[in-house]
Amino acid sequence: MILTDALLDFFLETRQHTESICQPLEIEDYVVQPIVDVSPPKWHLGHTTWFFEEFILKPHAKDYVEFHADFSFVFNSYYETVGKRVVRSDRGNLSRPSVKKVYEYRNHVTQAIKGFFSGPQSEELRAVLEIGIHHEKQHQELLLTDIKYILGNNPLLPVYSEQFQDHPKEIHAQDWIAVDGGLYEIGHATESFCYDNELGRHKVYLQPYEISNKLVTNGEFAAFILDGGYQRFDLWHAEGWDWVNQNQIKAPLYWHQINGEWHHYTAQGLQKLDLETPVTHISYFEAFAYAQWKGHRLPTEFEWEVAQAFFPWGKRWEWTESAYLPYPNYQKPDGALGEYNGKFMVSQKVLRGGSVATPEKHTRHTYRNFFHPQLRWQFTGLRLAK
Amino acid sequence: MILTDALLDFFLETRQHTESICQPLEIEDYVVQPIVDVSPPKWHLGHTTWFFEEFILKPHAKDYVEFHADFSFVFNSYYETVGKRVVRSDRGNLSRPSVKKVYEYRNHVTQAIKGFFSGPQSEELRAVLEIGIHHEKQHQELLLTDIKYILGNNPLLPVYSEQFQDHPKEIHAQDWIAVDGGLYEIGHATESFCYDNELGRHKVYLQPYEISNKLVTNGEFAAFILDGGYQRFDLWHAEGWDWVNQNQIKAPLYWHQINGEWHHYTAQGLQKLDLETPVTHISYFEAFAYAQWKGHRLPTEFEWEVAQAFFPWGKRWEWTESAYLPYPNYQKPDGALGEYNGKFMVSQKVLRGGSVATPEKHTRHTYRNFFHPQLRWQFTGLRLAK
Amino acid sequence: MILTDALLDFFLETRQHTESICQPLEIEDYVVQPIVDVSPPKWHLGHTTWFFEEFILKPHAKDYVEFHADFSFVFNSYYETVGKRVVRSDRGNLSRPSVKKVYEYRNHVTQAIKGFFSGPQSEELRAVLEIGIHHEKQHQELLLTDIKYILGNNPLLPVYSEQFQDHPKEIHAQDWIAVDGGLYEIGHATESFCYDNELGRHKVYLQPYEISNKLVTNGEFAAFILDGGYQRFDLWHAEGWDWVNQNQIKAPLYWHQINGEWHHYTAQGLQKLDLETPVTHISYFEAFAYAQWKGHRLPTEFEWEVAQAFFPWGKRWEWTESAYLPYPNYQKPDGALGEYNGKFMVSQKVLRGGSVATPEKHTRHTYRNFFHPQLRWQFTGLRLAK
Amino acid sequence: MILTDALLDFFLETRQHTESICQPLEIEDYVVQPIVDVSPPKWHLGHTTWFFEEFILKPHAKDYVEFHADFSFVFNSYYETVGKRVVRSDRGNLSRPSVKKVYEYRNHVTQAIKGFFSGPQSEELRAVLEIGIHHEKQHQELLLTDIKYILGNNPLLPVYSEQFQDHPKEIHAQDWIAVDGGLYEIGHATESFCYDNELGRHKVYLQPYEISNKLVTNGEFAAFILDGGYQRFDLWHAEGWDWVNQNQIKAPLYWHQINGEWHHYTAQGLQKLDLETPVTHISYFEAFAYAQWKGHRLPTEFEWEVAQAFFPWGKRWEWTESAYLPYPNYQKPDGALGEYNGKFMVSQKVLRGGSVATPEKHTRHTYRNFFHPQLRWQFTGLRLAK
């Protein structure tokens, strides 16, 4: 368990970082929700705050004065345990509370937590605080991808920031890493923080396999498009093929063909497509179709975890072939926190790695991200296996 | 035709009034679109400006410098003639241009029009300017009702303004005005401004009828609810009955039952229901069902026009039994302005009168408003006939 | 009032005619419901029977033994007064009762009515019988159009019957009939049968107008298509334009372009388009757009009624510009029969005339048919006015 | 490889059995499609026939005369390789070809196959014939469940057959079978027929576990309902909870509460709920929620396969916790048959076992069935593990 002082520093630094992500925004950017998967930045600011208020301050801090009686309704996300909530698709319809009020709310709760943890608190409460910090770090990643979607779908294609680099190159030579078949240990092993879904550590038998040391790049993906990859049904799952046709998908998200040349929207605005950047903003369906086209396949999450030390990772969340399922002996935590991960363990695919949007100290090699197979507003990518 | 000077005053005063309607708003309130019928205030500010730029400045003012190349795309509403436009349901997804930028756009165009009409201009152009002013006045009304929807559907139910009185009482005694059968002239008769749909003036034969001198009040409508009006299918059109059931309609929009007592959301926030205010925010379906319940009916738009001098009006747009259809010899104007009214002449009902949200000098006794029968975010109301 | 004997003959002949319409069908054709507007022929056979059982035999014939307890649930259409009913969109999901059973049900009720009216019955009951007969005649028309849809949307395009001629030519020369302005009487005038919506007779003032003596033909409509009529937004209502684009409408229903040549599906199967047949299976939106393209307009229902003696009619139901509204002094009948017409008086357009599918003695010059503006599976057509 | 004679016998017996399943039907029952997942029996009869025509007779039998040029369009299911097909949701809209014609088609193809395989044919072709037979056996199972749905959703609740017993009891005492942790071989091992998705055989490491020797019964599931299982969100996946609420699910499919007592629709019509029958017609979501409620879990497909020899199975397809994914070294067959299984390997759950509807010799202990988690018209059931 982290010491209280270190934990408080971690908390304050995390709270500050969330706000620095929003620093380039206009007030108007905080409000909109162009698709249901994207939440307004204002909502992220409030919801991460609500977590500390709801699970620490309100039940445990005796003198705590609630900031606003209605905020627990406005900023609850999906915790059925904690009463009614604004329907997810309605978040972008709320102009109030104002951005200014939400920052006041943040400050109110940050100060209250700081005060509360100045005194001695139980290990249980420190554990909840640590979860709350990691919860906020998860939302930092969503904040960045949601902001990208909000700006990248605006017809004016505004710049987010000259500093944030969302298309790092992948310039080392491609090679295959061979791994022997055999029994391997999977899952979180140390005392440090992890989510419930990374436990318990267990044996998995793997067949011998090879995995690429390099992510698939924009240049390689452009070759797939040029070869008619989006028109060849035999490369796709039946559901993927329906998705391609119903949504008229012809390229990754944010790609624009202008006068016959590919461009992509980045944090610095619209730019000519960078061929050496790892491809991103693709769905699992597209990752799978690309692998089929290449005659290879996606790795399982276990193959990825076993081999991860042999390649650089952290630029793109990498789609795996694995479905998001509980590990053997998975224990759902009690109470509201039990809703955190377990209830999503159906119909989703596991992603491994972490991306340019992942905050420091947030991901690790046992971390399991998960999304529905058609989603692509995250910085998703693709590594081949065979 | 109005003289140029008077027209320019009218223009400047109208531009100013639009902005004064938005004065109480937070920046966030300018951005959202909770239902497809409601547009973000920011969009109204831009769209009314775009009209002057598109139809006067760009084609006719030689030295005019366009404010921003993409705004004609962003702020076009439904004019197919003038190229692509943002899909109506996407207006609330646009955080940019910012509110500040939109006000700069307004100012840029207001000044350019002022300059342009300082010199002599043709009667045709003055006529387009006059249409543009009336177009903006129409949007002032929508602005108010859209703002009410944005605030009135926010769980915090914020106050809009203490000044704007949206629930004026109707305290005179109810009486029936009897009108003889016979031939009457209908439609706009003078040289002053009117819309194409009010022309041409023509004869209509009316049977003898009676029409109420008073709008139906909240108190009377509450009696309809208490008597089970929303549960009696025989009072409703088949489409109305489906609408009631699919949307679980149990009262006018903005009515809330709290501890067994009716409240309504007003410009001053949530208040106890005012029984003497004319009922508002009802659909045509509800107006019709109420009339059925009373054993009466709605007047036609012709009956209303003939009798209007005998009762005070202007508090509520009043649903009539008439469908929105062209008058005999209706002429659709040429070009983009031809899209103004004619293309909506199907599936809608006529409303007559004007409401508390209607700007001064905007409505008149021949004015024909029109909405689909299920809509109720306007200040709609109901007058009985028999 | 018709004498009982004549009424019974009328009844028996109507019952027989319904069955003769179904004579060419395979059993399978009786069951399906390819779109919600089309009912399975089996359902029409049962529903028209249910009407006599529900409104005459069950309440009034003392010794009547109900054929099957569940049939009143299965064959009720939209009469909310008479309890639950199978949702309209589910009719095609019911394989039972079998066709054989439905014919037994028909026979059971036909015989019971025959027996019941062998004795003396009240004028009220004879009036209900007459309504039931006309109700069945309305369904005969629907039966024919529903059968055409069922067969005409089958990829095998089977022939319905060599006898039934659904594309009669319109070969007389086109001419305009001029009608003076003035007051005219509209609505049903005699003692013979009519529906509630044709009453009461009342005066209407008409401006002078001209109306064509001839329906628009396939050949003329093909010219509209060739001239790009389906691509010119300025010819369409806004709702019509959305309908065209969402449904990719490019020609009337049942038209097929094969190797560059127009064909149409008829009761005799697929045939080369007959240029001299009046165009049919068009929506109101298409009729309106055609008239706009020609520089003319559709007549109102009143203009049609006043002029109808001067042109042959009865081949196509003709779209009018009139909305379906109650006449002045319209009285909704009491009880379940009150649901017959009045509750549909919103959002629909009036059609006048009658079509090749209309049974003898069913339509008349005051008859008001009505459909939503996008529907086109009826034998709808178009006559111009100016 | 089976000898040709034995294969032909297998073929003829399979063809005959399909028709015997339909023997109790009325012609009308062959036509309807009450939900998209259910196909009309007529379609199954044609589609299984089309398979032999398309993949054997048309490409390989020189003198074969195609039965009807349009049938390959009408009866193709999802094979994109083989050209256009009737959209799945439209199958119930086709009254033609008639049932009689479809039986003629069956006979035509059966005889042609018989003739063709009287002479010597290659091993490849015999393999395709064998796949075709197994394909038809799969459809026999679907036929039975689709027929049950067609009749069981008819308000008359007709009896299918007194012979077919779809609710066999589960009367042995419940016990737990303990299995040691360790490496196990999974997948098809012998030369006999299997599908591509059962290959290749591979090692899986299992933790020690226990699995029930008995399926969960109706009586046990009724206790879950009584205890409020359908109202407790903490027992459900988030997607499952949405499904329960959107569809108002309160019990397994075909359960009816009549005067406070549970009944279920069976092949013999509506009966009082049999408490000792294994529960069936439940979704994966319901199976999972039941297991949560019991404090246990569902087995993985590997746990099931390893333990299957120790319990009787074959009454219900059993939901497992496993997602439907390719085995290591899975090879998708070339050509149209490659579309058979691989393209469905996303978003579905594996079921193991086989049911009362599974034809003899069709399932085996390595057989992998798969459905989306919300489906329940199959004879699905549930076995607990821990």
Side-chain angles (χ1 to χ4, degrees), chain B residues 283-354:
Chain B
S283 67
Y284 163 76
F285 294 132
E286 288 162 294
F288 177 89
Y290 178 87
Q292 288 282 107
W293 176 72
K294 268 303 217 192
H296 300 313
R297 62 177 177 84
L298 303 181
T300 66
E301 61 170 322
F302 312 114
E303 290 172 337
W304 190 96
E305 187 170 325
V306 165
Q308 54 81 26
F310 299 94
F311 47 77
W313 53 269
K315 291 175 188 152
R316 302 285 180 241
W317 281 106
E318 306 177 25
W319 287 109
T320 72
E321 187 52 43
S322 300
Y324 182 45
L325 294 173
Y327 283 172
N329 305 316
Y330 169 69
Q331 296 297 327
K332 202 165 79 167
D334 287 337
L337 296 178
E339 294 188 54
Y340 207 88
N341 277 310
K343 72 178 185 182
F344 298 113
M345 290 176 172
V346 68
S347 309
Q348 311 211 37
K349 300 298 280 188
V350 172
L351 300 103
R352 289 299 194 102

Side-chain angles (χ1 to χ4, degrees), chain A residues 223-236 241 244 289 293:
Chain A
F224 165 78
I225 299 178
L226 197 63
D227 194 42
Y230 283 98
Q231 286 84 50
R232 285 182 47 193
F233 68 84
D234 59 304
L235 300 175
W236 299 80
W241 187 238
V244 162
W293 175 72

Side-chain angles (χ1 to χ4, degrees), chain A residues 181-227:
Chain A
L183 277 174
Y184 292 91
E185 293 281 332
I186 293 293
H188 191 72
T190 70
E191 285 303 295
S192 63
F193 178 83
C194 77
Y195 283 112
D196 55 7
N197 62 11
E198 302 168 53
L199 301 168
R201 190 158 168 89
H202 66 288
K203 288 190 180 61
V204 168
Y205 183 83
L206 298 181
Q207 323 296 318
Y209 67 100
E210 295 180 45
I211 190 166
S212 177
N213 69 332
K214 190 177 169 180
L215 292 168
V216 170
T217 63
N218 283 332
E220 292 168 312
F221 204 85
F224 165 78
I225 299 178
L226 197 63
D227 194 42

